[in-house]
Amino acid sequence: MSRWGAAAALTIDFAASSGSYTGCTSGATSNGSASCGSSANSPDVWYIFTAPTSGTVSVDTIGSSYDTVLSIHEPGFPGTSLVCNDDMAVGIRDSRVTMGVVQGTQYLVRVSGFNNASGAFNLNIRMQCKADPTTGAVSGQAGYGIPNGTLNN
């Protein structure tokens, strides 16, 4: 079994278009790296996400107890991050990544910390809805594609 074989699966509740998970990187080993956040040697926890539909996925660590780094990788290339974020904004230590996904494709989600930081984390994942063309909603505008809320990118 590869080191990714033990990664927990992330699933999305289609009624809510989202899923939430909790975990802890304290005591974990470092099994990868990302392109941001000085996290190459930070303890990490990995998840496997299979896109339930093609579209845009948003993953964040809002509410975590430490300075997180979040990245998404292709299973065949875990050393290369497709997207990476350390700090959603100045002074906010939570991380958020958003990217296009293809239905049925698996992606690795890595939760780690800035400069060896570790602790308890929240991991939230949402598929953004496609705009209803009858309402005139435009991709990238406030409220686009987020059920019951707004995603600030």
Side-chain angles (χ1 to χ4, degrees):
M1 176 186 325
S2 74
R3 63 182 174 177
W4 316 116
L10 291 175
T11 57
I12 289 181
D13 174 0
F14 277 100
S17 297
S18 63
S20 294
Y21 302 84
T22 57
C24 185
T25 57
S26 298
T29 59
S30 177
N31 290 314
S33 64
S35 59
C36 69
S38 299
S39 66
N41 296 315
S42 298
D44 52 28
V45 174
W46 292 82
Y47 293 88
I48 294 176
F49 169 67
T50 303
T53 186
S54 293
T56 302
V57 67
S58 177
V59 185
D60 68 61
T61 59
I62 294 173
S64 297
S65 69
Y66 70 105
D67 190 352
T68 60
V69 175
L70 186 59
S71 55
I72 299 179
H73 307 253
E74 290 183 75
F77 304 94
T80 304
S81 50
L82 299 170
V83 292
C84 185
N85 180 256
D86 171 36
D87 300 342
M88 292 170 35
V90 175
I92 299 176
R93 300 180 319 158
D94 300 315
S95 303
R96 176 183 288 143
V97 293
T98 302
M99 66 174 268
V101 294
V102 177
Q103 182 177 9
T105 302
Q106 287 189 332
Y107 302 90
L108 291 171
V109 177
R110 179 182 185 245
V111 180
S112 61
F114 174 76
N115 201 25
N116 295 322
S118 64
F121 63 84
N122 294 326
L123 185 64
N124 308 295
I125 185 166
R126 292 176 293 289
M127 286 298 297
Q128 296 181 10
C129 301
K130 294 181 180 177
D132 178 354
T134 63
T135 65
V138 177
S139 174
Q141 300 299 314
Y144 168 74
I146 304 300
N148 305 318
T150 301
L151 173 62
N152 297 316
N153 286 338

